[in-house]
Amino acid sequence: MELRGVIERINGSLVITRFEEEPKIGDLVEVGEMGLMGEIVRLSEKTAYIQCYEATSGLKPGEPVLDTGKPLVAELGPGLITTIFDGVQRSESTLWEIAGPFITRGIHIPALDRERRWHFEPRVEAGERVVGGDIIGVVRETEAVEHRILIPPGLRGRIREISEGDYTVVEPVAELETPWGERQELRMMQEWPVRTPRPYKERIPLVAPLITGQRVIDTFFPVAKGGAASIPGGFGTGKTVMLQQISKWADADIIVLIGCGERGNEMADVVTHFPKLIDPKTGEELIERTIIVANVSNMPVSAREASIYLGVTMGEYFRDQGYDVALMADSTSRWAEALRDVSGRLEEIPAERGFPAYLADRIAEIYERAGRVITLGSGERIGSLTILGAVSPPAGDFSEPVTTHTLRFIGTFWALDTELAFRRHFPAIHWLRSFTRYLDVASKWWSRFDPRWEEMRGKALELLEEASEIEETARIIGEKALPDEQRLVLLIAEMIREGFLVQNAFDEVDTYCEAEKQVALLRALMEFYDRTEPLVRKGIPIEKIRGLRVVPELMRLKERRGLEPIERAKAEMEREVRELEEEYREAI
Ligand SMILES: Nc1ncnc2c1ncn2[C@@H]1O[C@H](COP(=O)(O)OP(=O)(O)O)[C@@H](O)[C@H]1O
Ligand SMILES: [Mg+2]
């Protein structure tokens, strides 16, 4: 059912249109002679307020508007992986082919290539009964990804026909007979409205951390697979580098990267550089298991608003295939600003800092789509979607609404600190202001490497905390005036910071730290403290401890490959400590 309307007024990205009959909220519309894409965001009987996803300059009152009768949907099927989409799922490369660098408006192109053929291998036979969520066949989409073709949610019946072959996404690959005797063709492509979460059978507990190879995350502030995390930080504190590191190294099957246009050139950078990154796991290009949503074309702010939902929907679709998906949004502040912009034009009553009162609900709706689930379908297939969102609070002020609301709905908070970034302590995740609610999940997982993992981690954090208090005092009375026990705490804190927390993303070895090495490093550092603390208590001067050759070595172990150097350093530590004890035996 297509409804027609006429433009009455235009206010930036908002187009006020009078329809012949009352349309539906959320409907996708084509605006003006150019056919710009838009969505109905508010209704007042036959008057619709349309949020336009393309620049509205040149649009005039009196021009026609067509309501498509459908909401904004994502096309789901082979061809998603490796593609860079804009916020309304137009492929950037196709746009470029059609329109060149100055993308003209009103271009309607299908998200998935309609010409390309994919080799479909059936996984069910004619005569079998299937329900929504069942896998009927697979396509080798890239070297890294087997795309599983699913029966769309809600559909069921008996397969009448299915055959192997090369098909486009819109050609039928099978035919289904519903319980009511209707025949229905099954295609590889399905559609899903982006603002509606995709259904699953059951939400299940999170059982494992997402391992990223970044020590401050994995060891101190882990996020669970299927959990949600936020990484807030001012300009230049390392949000983008961290999300890229996670994309590159996390033990997820599929990566969805959403660039909500921090700055235009930055997105262009992601789009040109990211595809060339090599996937350490497969040796292939990382893009082989990645989907990127990035507004590089000259889309207005409002298009950023849609991009998060689009990304999440594609993430859920791969979750439903039984994969662990990690989704990264950089940055959700730009998305929230789009929301604010539209709300302002709708003349809604603003809440804090001009953001609409429903900002918190919208943030919650996004993060609630993270989870670990038993998918639809007759098997017990498990998939997960982990959502990680960067926040860029103006002036690095964490008391602003996007940061504070996000805090309520996520399980892990990686607080980036301007001061640390300034001192080039990277990742600039502040250990005293960050937190994780997934410690239980992580502890269980890590205890396979060391049953005392949680205790060690707790002790390390405690020492860091104690050190920051001691530093306060030291600032007043000077470090030399502190008792040696406290100076040892300062030393161990420095060793934990330099030898463990600091991790250079650009160091060939240290860019990734495997789980076993994380545990071994932490253990070595904590053993150093356990071993030297009694010496200091017995009166051996702190200078002697600080002067041990193993101290600088312990701080450099992270840059050495493998576990062997750690074992050697521990033996060296034992030797040196014995020597010290020997030296002071008489005196003590
Ligand atoms: N883990 C890291 N290792 C080394 N350098 C880093 C790291 N994180 C950030 N940096 C440095 O900080 C700069 C800014 O980081 P970026 O991620 O672009 O900040 P943001 O996205 O928060 O504005 C980077 O160009 C890099 O020089
Ligand atoms: Mg950035």
Side-chain angles (χ1 to χ4, degrees), residues 426-472:
F426 286 119
I429 293 176
H430 203 289
W431 51 93
L432 298 182
R433 285 201 285 283
S434 301
F435 66 78
T436 179
R437 295 187 177 117
Y438 305 113
L439 191 58
D440 288 351
V441 171
S443 285
K444 271 204 200 89
W445 190 88
W446 282 98
S447 63
R448 72 169 91 162
F449 295 100
D450 190 327
R452 292 177 49 238
W453 180 83
E454 190 172 338
E455 195 187 317
M456 276 194 320
R457 171 194 178 271
K459 180 74 185 168
L461 272 180
E462 225 174 83
L463 286 166
L464 287 167
E465 205 170 323
E466 203 181 325
S468 84
E469 283 160 21
I470 298 172
E471 272 160 20
E472 290 295 314

Side-chain angles (χ1 to χ4, degrees), residues 234-241 262-263 266 330-331 390 392:
F235 175 75
T237 49
K239 298 179 291 296
T240 302
V241 170
E262 219 19 357
R263 278 151 289 151
E266 197 178 53
D330 186 8
S331 117
S392 11

Side-chain angles (χ1 to χ4, degrees), residues 66 123 216:
L66 185 70
R123 283 288 187 266
V216 60

Side-chain angles (χ1 to χ4, degrees), residues 230 232 333 363 391-393 397-408 413:
S230 160
S333 296
I363 293 175
V391 182
S392 11
D397 167 19
F398 286 8
S399 69
E400 61 86 42
V402 184
T403 314
T404 54
H405 290 312
T406 301
L407 200 69
R408 296 159 49 198
F413 190 71

Side-chain angles (χ1 to χ4, degrees), residues 151-162:
I151 298 278
L155 200 60
R156 66 195 164 98
R158 203 171 51 82
I159 297 286
R160 283 181 49 87
E161 254 181 75
I162 185 163

